[in-house]
Amino acid sequence: MEPTGSRSKEANLLRVRVDLIPEGMKELTVPRGTIIEHLLHMLKLNPEEVIVLRGEEPITEDEEIVDDDCLRIIRVVSGG
Amino acid sequence: MIKLNYLGESLCKECFLRYFEEQVMRVLKGTGLLSRLSGKLVVVATSGGKDSSNALYILKELSESYDYEVAALLVNEGIKGYREHKAKALRALCTRLGVNLIEVSMKKEMGVTIDQVALLHERGKLRLKPCSVCGVFRRYLMNIYAKEVGAEYVATGHNLDDEVQTFIMNIIRGDLQSIVREGPVTRPHIGELIPRFKPLYYLTEKESMLHFILRGLETPYVECPYAKLSMRYQLRTMINSLEQHSPGTKHRLLRVKESLRKKLGQQIIQQRLRRCSLCGMPTSHDICRACEIKIELERIIKA
């Protein structure tokens, strides 16, 4: 049986938890196929000014977000 | 994987760390420092932040191969809610690396903390911004203490982003002398000023943070509360925005600066330095900038 419209919409959405340092934790829902660059755009962050980590590993901006993704975003710019 | 946007290349962790070290070696070889370091003491001006911690880490790592000594110097400017956290991280790093840390108090040496300076600025009693006072006092104390412990060189954590921001600031001020002076190494022609060099000169702020993380170094993510007051802060956001839309902007600006330094270097005669009539440190005026600010602060505080 074909999935209903709303179900297929849900299947195309991914949950992602973002720990923005130092601001704190955020939960977001993004369409499947979203890459890190888009996520940073949504969060109004310049990729030049942050580093995104999945676990302990830095990841590049062209990497796709996976379901239940857990990311850490560290701001590069600091005063002093 | 780590992407270097301006090169359009992605590097794995090992290749990135190798690239990072190559860029530091580019400074050491390009300036001829590497062959002169043997048997000398290098003092690293440290704050506990990522850049100076990286400079300390990498210079310590290279010190065994090139036979020189490394010590760290911290000028504690007394900014509450910031300095104590950064200093704690720095002490831990020095213990981990087995490096001697020299701590200097700005309050004790210059009579004020930067918190006091910021308050005077906020109340309209002092025109100078806290960052201007902090920079002058910091360089002044760094030089005195590095000399006192017998250092031949001072290394600082300035990265490519800092250099490009300073370049633009010098253009805005019309300060051609500073453009010529601010290279990967500064060699003063007067004995009391210790030569300074910048191991991270060719590395961006983002690359510096990546190195910091990949080496498992730690620092609390607290920001200096006064950083936002400086022109540098605004420029940083603007230049990063340009870099985002036109990758390579920062590297191109650094190249322009380097070629200007070469061309202007032959035409611009650097000011002759003499001794400050109060403290004896080198200056291009009768009284050095540090003494001038110290006197002004004493006058304001007494009033």
Side-chain angles (χ1 to χ4, degrees):
Chain A
M1 209 169 78
E2 288 290 309
T4 62
S6 67
R7 266 196 206 152
S8 85
K9 248 186 210 167
E10 258 174 42
N12 281 323
L13 292 175
L14 304 173
R15 273 192 336 158
V16 52
R17 279 193 305 149
V18 178
D19 187 6
L20 194 59
I21 297 168
E23 286 88 341
M25 208 67 146
K26 272 188 181 186
E27 263 203 44
L28 298 160
T29 312
V30 298
R32 192 174 291 279
T34 299
I35 59 171
I36 299 295
E37 192 186 341
H38 300 150
L39 179 80
L40 294 178
H41 185 74
M42 284 164 68
L43 294 167
K44 296 191 171 60
L45 294 170
N46 180 347
E48 195 56 25
E49 297 186 343
V50 295
I51 286 168
V52 185
L53 303 171
R54 182 179 281 140
E56 294 300 309
E57 290 295 310
I59 55 172
T60 57
E61 282 100 50
D62 48 13
E63 196 133 339
E64 270 195 30
I65 287 167
V66 296
D67 203 11
D68 281 327
D69 219 343
C70 201
L71 305 169
R72 245 183 342 139
I73 301 182
I74 298 176
R75 283 180 196 271
V76 165
V77 286
S78 63
Chain B
M1 293 293 275
I2 290 124
K3 193 167 184 187
L4 306 178
N5 280 330
Y6 62 95
L7 288 176
E9 270 182 42
S10 292
L11 303 178
C12 69
K13 178 182 170 180
E14 284 69 30
C15 289
F16 173 78
L17 292 175
R18 199 175 316 127
Y19 160 82
F20 196 92
E21 193 180 307
E22 279 166 11
Q23 296 306 309
V24 174
M25 290 301 280
R26 196 175 149 198
V27 171
L28 298 179
K29 284 181 182 166
T31 55
L33 275 174
L34 200 60
S35 56
R36 279 182 265 140
L37 284 177
S38 179
K40 309 270 170 66
L41 172 65
V42 177
V43 160
V44 185
T46 46
S47 68
K50 65 179 188 313
D51 300 312
S52 57
S53 297
N54 277 333
L56 182 66
Y57 182 95
I58 203 146
L59 287 175
K60 174 67 182 167
E61 203 178 54
L62 293 169
S63 68
E64 281 174 30
S65 312
Y66 297 98
D67 184 38
Y68 61 88
E69 294 289 319
V70 175
L73 177 71
L74 166 70
V75 175
N76 185 334
E77 75 300 275
I79 299 174
K80 286 215 169 66
Y82 166 74
R83 174 50 58 212
E84 64 269 32
H85 303 296
K86 290 285 185 187
K88 194 177 164 197
L90 177 63
R91 287 182 203 118
L93 176 64
C94 288
T95 307
R96 174 178 157 183
L97 297 176
V99 165
N100 186 24
L101 173 65
I102 307 145
E103 294 195 41
V104 180
S105 157
M106 196 180 280
K107 171 83 180 167
K108 199 174 144 213
E109 299 292 331
M110 309 305 283
V112 286
T113 65
I114 294 302
D115 275 345
Q116 285 175 281
V117 170
L119 199 64
L120 294 173
H121 175 74
E122 202 185 296
R123 288 180 179 164
K125 290 183 178 169
L126 178 74
R127 192 184 48 84
L128 286 168
K129 289 177 185 175
C131 306
S132 311
V133 178
C134 193
V136 172
F137 282 1
R138 193 174 287 282
R139 276 191 297 277
Y140 181 77
L141 294 172
M142 195 170 79
N143 193 66
I144 290 176
Y145 277 84
K147 199 173 156 53
E148 199 176 287
V149 296
E152 298 273 348
Y153 296 99
V154 167
T156 61
H158 293 96
N159 58 44
L160 189 147
D161 291 47
D162 296 324
E163 291 306 311
V164 170
Q165 290 151 19
T166 304
F167 176 47
I168 305 283
M169 281 158 71
N170 283 330
I171 292 176
I172 293 169
R173 292 176 184 140
D175 188 351
L176 296 179
Q177 290 223 359
S178 293
I179 291 174
V180 173
R181 203 171 45 233
E182 289 297 326
V185 65
T186 317
R187 287 192 195 89
H189 47 81
I190 190 160
E192 274 71 17
L193 281 182
I194 299 182
R196 291 199 313 256
F197 69 98
K198 303 163 183 169
L200 313 185
Y201 192 79
Y202 297 113
L203 290 153
T204 65
E205 186 161 26
K206 183 164 176 168
E207 287 164 350
S208 177
M209 181 55 107
L210 269 167
H211 179 268
F212 190 79
I213 293 169
L214 293 174
R215 289 291 185 195
L217 303 176
E218 284 171 10
T219 188
Y221 294 99
V222 283
E223 198 175 45
C224 170
Y226 311 120
K228 288 193 169 91
L229 298 174
S230 66
M231 184 202 278
R232 183 178 290 281
Y233 200 89
Q234 295 169 45
L235 274 177
R236 177 150 63 181
T237 309
M238 284 162 63
I239 296 168
N240 279 337
S241 174
L242 288 171
E243 178 74 31
Q244 186 187 5
H245 297 107
S246 177
T249 296
K250 290 178 194 173
H251 285 79
R252 284 193 295 275
L253 281 169
L254 191 78
R255 278 202 297 275
V256 171
K257 177 181 123 164
E258 285 309 307
S259 67
L260 265 178
R261 287 186 62 231
K262 266 187 205 144
K263 285 179 183 141
L264 290 174
Q266 292 145 6
Q267 290 166 33
I268 290 186
I269 301 157
Q270 291 289 327
Q271 282 174 323
R272 279 188 69 88
L273 296 177
R274 45 191 163 147
R275 287 179 198 286
C276 169
S277 56
L278 294 175
C279 72
M281 290 301 280
T283 174
S284 50
H285 298 86
D286 181 36
I287 295 172
C288 76
R289 189 76 182 121
C291 284
E292 207 175 74
I293 296 174
K294 200 176 162 199
I295 292 167
E296 193 184 348
L297 285 169
E298 281 166 359
R299 185 183 53 80
I300 295 169
I301 292 167
K302 270 185 197 157

